[in-house]
DNA sequence: CACTTTTAAGTGACATTGTCACTTAAAGCT
DNA sequence: AGCTTTAAGTGACAATGTCACTTAAAAGTG
């Protein structure tokens, strides 16, 4: 079955859980498809499933009272939602929202099955813990970047990671501000500066990289 | 035994693990005492124990290349070190340091015992997951505060949480800057402003709160 | 005790980033 | 073509961070 292979490829630990521990994940979980732009969880939601993302990407962010937002991390193929997992275990509220950025295919493992797997399979536990560790590192890295790195560096990094000379980035300055935890005007100014230097070409909803090396040079220090 | 009661009081989940699941934590773990100012882990360290803090406090922080530091969180009585736990499981490096802020008494559970408990006791797993969830929330809250909250608010909050009208705070502006992820000069300026308003009294290494309500009023918005 | 050294805090000038109250312009819609 | 919505630009200003110092308190030392 095609899906099985995809899943095993994305979650190597689960492969072990299935082969060694006789865990039949596919049988007891449900494959779900979620359209782009769906809020899959927000503060106060109760969570009844352990979610593994097979295809697509989920944006996890938090919002200040004044409406400003910052993206905490993305869950993409091969990732799982540790916050809902925490909910699963400790039933606490989390001050964050999760929204699908693309159409998403996910595997939902119901809470009782999740707990059974946790008890029975060391490989499954490893997979779950690994997700936790990943998120912790991502969050710590985010804290570091927010508090230490200058915006031009972080912006250049984002541009290089999300586009290249022939593949323009389709996003708004506002979305970028949210991604980097800054303000739209600041991003606009910075991008304009990059444009003046001939490093990018700006148009509504699109950023084209015109000088990759110059941007990369910023990162190199 | 006195220690047993202390531990069970601090870690209610472990109580369950012991009574329900017959886990003999005290027998298989070691009580260790660590003097103040000891670096208990830093980047690249390997970790061989699951650590539960019984008495005292550990400061977990990260450092930028330019030397600036920011405190990520503190592990105090009843807390466990999830980062070393992650290490325990996934053997990855974490870009953080942990230093004891006081003399610390901790319970060290060796890796094999830890894994056995994880397999055998649901309550133990809950305890471990709970720690993870806590850290995740603390980190998310930190990200929110750093990116959204103004410094005067955060500083006032810190002062109120760590001192009162009759118990002065003994710390340096530098340590405070690290705690809040800011720069010493900025903290000094802000404190001086508070002093000019008659809210605090400053001296070398000491901050006395002289107007609790005014500070609290800042937080109230 | 006077002196040197170390550590904490203050200072002013300046750079970066965030905020506010707008304006301008492009893309969609009817 | 004219409206509406959304994206982006703008200038003034506030808040925060950085730098290169100075000042001063505490600790160590002969």
């Amino acid at each position: 079955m095609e899906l099985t292979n995809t899943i095993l490829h994305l979650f190597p630990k689960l492969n072990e859980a299935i082969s060694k521990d006789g865990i039949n994940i596919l049988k007891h979980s449900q494959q779900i498809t979620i359209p782009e732009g769906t809020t899959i969880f927000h503060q106060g939601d109760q969570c009844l499933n352990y979610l593994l993302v097979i295809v697509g990407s989920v944006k996890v962010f938090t919002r200040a009272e004044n409406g400003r937002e910052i993206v905490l991390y993305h869950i993409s193929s091969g990732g799982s939602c540790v916050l809902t997992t925490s909910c699963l275990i400790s039933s606490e509220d989390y001050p964050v929202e999760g929204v699908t950025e693309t159409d998403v295919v996910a595997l939902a493992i119901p809470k009782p099955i999740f707990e059974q797997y946790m008890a029975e399979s060391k490989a499954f536990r490893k997979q779950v813990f690994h997700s936790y560790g990943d998120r912790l590192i991502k969050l710590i890295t985010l804290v570091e970047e927010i508090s230490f790195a200058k915006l031009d560096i972080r912006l250049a990094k984002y541009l290089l990671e999300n586009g290249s000379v022939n593949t323009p980035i389709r996003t708004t300055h506002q979305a970028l501000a949210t991604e980097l935890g800054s303000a739209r005007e600041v991003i606009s100014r910075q991008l304009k500066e990059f444009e003046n230097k001939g490093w990018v070409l700006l148009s509504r909803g699109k950023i084209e990289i015109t000088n990759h090396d110059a941007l990369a040079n910023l990162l190199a220090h």
Side-chain angles (χ1 to χ4, degrees), chain A residues 1 87 101 108-109 114 126 137 153 156 180 195 199 205 216:
Chain A
M1 189 193 177
C87 268
E101 300 178 283
I109 303 180
F114 172 80
K126 267 208 165 182
I137 294 183
I153 312 274
L180 300 177
E195 190 176 43
W199 298 356

Side-chain angles (χ1 to χ4, degrees), chain A residues 102-146:
Chain A
T102 61
D103 288 355
V104 164
V105 180
L107 210 61
I109 303 180
K111 183 168 175 163
I113 305 289
F114 172 80
E115 292 190 342
Q116 186 196 327
Y117 289 174
M118 284 298 285
E120 290 176 4
S121 169
K122 183 174 174 178
F124 188 82
R125 285 196 296 274
K126 267 208 165 182
Q127 141 73 28
V128 172
F129 269 108
H130 212 88
S131 317
Y132 263 99
D134 277 3
R135 286 314 161 210
L136 275 177
I137 294 183
K138 286 229 170 78
L139 280 174
I140 289 173
T141 308
L142 180 62
V143 170
E144 282 183 47
E145 287 189 346
I146 294 176

Side-chain angles (χ1 to χ4, degrees), chain A residues 48-88:
Chain A
L48 303 171
N49 293 287
Y50 180 59
L51 278 185
L52 298 169
V53 175
I54 314 288
V55 178
S57 170
V58 178
K59 180 173 81 174
V60 179
F61 61 97
T62 183
R63 205 193 307 267
E65 292 114 1
N66 69 0
R68 234 179 98 194
E69 293 175 358
I70 182 171
V71 172
L72 296 167
Y73 53 80
H74 302 263
I75 311 169
S76 50
S77 305
S80 62
C81 186
V82 293
L83 279 178
T84 56
T85 311
S86 266
C87 268
L88 229 55

Side-chain angles (χ1 to χ4, degrees), chain A residues 142-155:
Chain A
L142 180 62
V143 170
E144 282 183 47
E145 287 189 346
I146 294 176
S147 37
F148 300 144
K150 289 221 245 154
L151 199 69
D152 54 349
I153 312 274
R154 298 180 58 212
L155 183 53

